């Protein structure tokens, strides 16, 4: 990761009077061009990195500059300790490294801030898996995580498709980042030779070969922004059907919690004015009639399906059966 590399670069220059671009590139395992960009980024951030020109030139820190963590405020120190989510680090095989790093940071902090790790842990905990779902750590996750940290290309064997149509494919990937979503691990990677970024479920990998070849990371790549965009695209791609419904005022309030929230909001914004009883008629994108039946059933009598006719008939049948169960 770039932030860790920048810190390492400062610490290397602190420990030596000067280093050439080639030496830094070798230590940081990046190209000399990346070293130049990193030095510029440090300079713009206020770290006095100076570049000597010429054959005997190199990089050095001006005036005996030393980086210290004593300038951190309490909120900054606590936020720093929130960056390591214990469960996720454990699954990636990084728990020991994270523990050692937290100890080093704690030792460098001012005495008044050394309880930051405890106060942060008391106030925030991430429980990623869904309710009633037993999380399972993918066997190949640590190997994939290692490749992500080292910017190392991998050759991955991947199960694609479902059921009888499932097939196994082989891809050479440049692993950019990991995402833990509701207890499921995903890899965001660039397909080698194509330049396109894709998302893979790590529990679908059947084999991962890290190899020895490293790739040069695109510094413009923004993992959170990429994930948000792909997640929205995926959510919209599966909404292939539409239903027309009447929804009561209470149903309007509950609708975003039973179907896709963005689709519900857009459907409500496009709907006409409520009728005399306050009910709103709207067209709602859904994944399928089967999924719509399951989701809208949660609203009970607060929703009436108008179309398609097959789905309306299904709810009518449900109503008759419920009346038989609860009638006198």
């Amino acid at each position: 990761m770039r932030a860790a590399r920048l810190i390492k670069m400062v610490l290397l220059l602190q420990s030596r009077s000067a280093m050439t671009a080639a030496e830094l590139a070798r230590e940081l395992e990046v190209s000399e061009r990346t070293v130049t960009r990193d030095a510029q980024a440090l300079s713009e951030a206020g770290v006095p990195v100076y570049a000597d020109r010429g054959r005997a030139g190199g990089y050095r820190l001006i005036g005996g500059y030393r980086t210290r963590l004593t300038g951190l405020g309490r909120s900054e120190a606590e936020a720093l300790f929130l960056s390591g989510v214990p469960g996720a680090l454990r699954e990636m095989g990084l728990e020991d490294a994270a523990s050692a790093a937290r100890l080093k940071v704690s030792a460098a902090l001012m005495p008044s801030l050394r309880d930051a790790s405890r106060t942060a842990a008391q106030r925030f905990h991430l429980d990623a898996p869904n309710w009633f779902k037993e999380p399972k750590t993918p066997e190949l996750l640590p190997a994939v995580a290692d490749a992500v940290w080292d910017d190392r290309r991998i050759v991955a064997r991947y199960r694609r498709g479902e059921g009888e149509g499932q097939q196994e494919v082989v891809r050479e990937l440049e692993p950019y980042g990991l995402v833990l979503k509701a207890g499921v691990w995903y890899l965001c990677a660039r397909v080698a030779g194509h330049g396109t970024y894709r998302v893979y479920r790590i529990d679908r990998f059947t084999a991962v070969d890290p190899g020895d070849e490293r790739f040069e990371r695109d510094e413009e790549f923004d993992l959170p922004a990429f994930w948000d965009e792909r997640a929205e695209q995926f959510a919209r791609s599966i909404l292939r059907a539409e239903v027309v419904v009447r929804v009561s005022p209470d149903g309007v309030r509950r609708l975003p919690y039973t179907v896709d929230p963005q689709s519900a909001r857009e459907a409500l914004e496009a709907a006409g004015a409520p009728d005399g009883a306050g009910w709103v008629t709207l067209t709602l994108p859904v994944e399928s009639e089967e999924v719509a039946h399951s989701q809208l059933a949660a609203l009970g009598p607060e929703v009436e399906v108008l179309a398609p006719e097959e789905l309306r008939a299904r709810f009518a049948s449900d109503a008759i059966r419920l009346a038989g169960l609860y009638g006198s």
Side-chain angles (χ1 to χ4, degrees):
M1 296 175 65
R2 193 185 190 196
R5 191 174 70 240
L6 292 175
I7 293 173
K8 185 176 180 180
M9 184 174 179
V10 173
L11 294 175
L12 284 169
L13 293 175
Q14 276 186 190
S15 64
R16 308 179 195 182
S17 58
M19 295 183 70
T20 66
E23 289 172 339
L24 283 168
R26 188 164 53 251
E27 288 283 349
L28 300 172
E29 298 181 326
V30 296
S31 67
E32 293 186 29
R33 195 175 81 175
T34 298
V35 168
T36 301
R37 289 200 301 261
D38 286 354
Q40 183 179 354
L42 287 171
S43 180
E44 291 172 353
V47 178
V49 178
Y50 181 77
D52 288 315
R53 304 292 182 182
R55 171 175 282 181
Y59 293 92
R60 61 186 175 86
L61 295 174
I62 299 175
Y65 174 86
R66 306 288 294 178
T67 181
R68 297 180 61 83
L69 294 174
T70 52
L72 287 175
R74 170 160 292 278
S75 61
E76 294 171 321
E78 290 174 343
L80 177 64
F81 283 103
L82 286 180
S83 64
V85 181
L89 291 172
R90 182 172 55 251
E91 292 185 8
M92 289 188 290
L94 298 173
E95 186 176 27
D96 291 341
S99 177
R102 284 192 291 269
L103 287 173
K104 291 177 181 178
V105 172
S106 295
L109 289 172
M110 295 172 59
S112 61
L113 300 179
R114 287 178 184 165
D115 66 340
S117 62
R118 180 179 58 82
T119 58
Q122 289 174 343
R123 288 166 174 80
F124 179 82
H125 174 69
L126 175 64
D127 184 10
N130 283 330
W131 288 103
F132 315 118
K133 181 178 180 180
E134 186 68 27
K136 184 178 179 181
T137 304
E139 181 180 347
L140 296 173
L141 175 61
V144 176
D146 284 344
V148 170
W149 299 129
D150 290 343
D151 292 339
R152 194 185 300 273
R153 284 187 177 184
I154 62 173
V155 176
R157 192 175 294 276
Y158 183 80
R159 293 194 311 271
R160 188 171 63 182
E162 301 289 346
E164 295 182 358
Q166 187 178 98
Q167 57 179 319
E168 205 168 68
V169 297
V170 177
R171 294 284 184 270
E172 184 178 2
L173 303 174
E174 297 174 352
Y176 266 67
L178 296 167
V179 175
L180 177 59
K181 169 70 171 177
V184 179
W185 285 95
Y186 295 89
L187 172 67
C188 301
R190 183 166 61 184
V191 181
H194 291 268
T196 56
Y197 294 93
R198 297 180 183 175
V199 177
Y200 300 87
R201 276 186 62 144
I202 295 180
D203 59 7
R204 288 175 174 256
F205 285 138
T206 59
V208 171
D209 179 9
D212 297 319
E213 184 180 358
R214 285 185 167 81
F215 64 92
E216 186 166 346
R217 175 178 288 268
D218 179 2
E219 299 297 346
E220 300 299 318
F221 180 80
D222 185 332
L223 179 60
F226 171 77
W227 177 259
D228 287 346
E229 180 184 353
R230 286 305 173 94
E232 183 178 352
Q233 289 176 359
F234 174 75
R236 291 183 178 279
S237 69
I238 63 175
L239 302 178
R240 302 186 182 93
E242 288 184 344
V243 297
V244 181
V245 295
R246 287 180 67 241
V247 189
S248 73
D250 184 51
V252 167
R253 179 182 60 82
R254 293 163 51 190
L255 188 63
Y257 301 99
T258 57
V259 299
D260 177 66
Q262 183 64 28
S263 297
R265 285 191 292 268
E266 292 178 358
L268 289 168
E269 289 172 1
D275 61 19
W279 286 58
V280 177
T281 299
L282 53 90
T283 301
L284 185 67
V286 293
E287 184 175 345
S288 65
E289 289 185 20
E290 183 70 29
V291 172
H293 177 262
S294 174
Q295 292 175 333
L296 295 175
L299 296 178
E302 308 304 325
V303 63
E304 177 189 3
V305 174
L306 302 179
E309 186 58 39
E310 295 81 359
L311 185 59
R312 179 178 174 85
R314 189 167 179 177
F315 272 95
S317 175
D318 290 346
I320 293 171
R321 292 173 60 196
L322 284 170
L325 289 173
Y326 293 102
S328 58

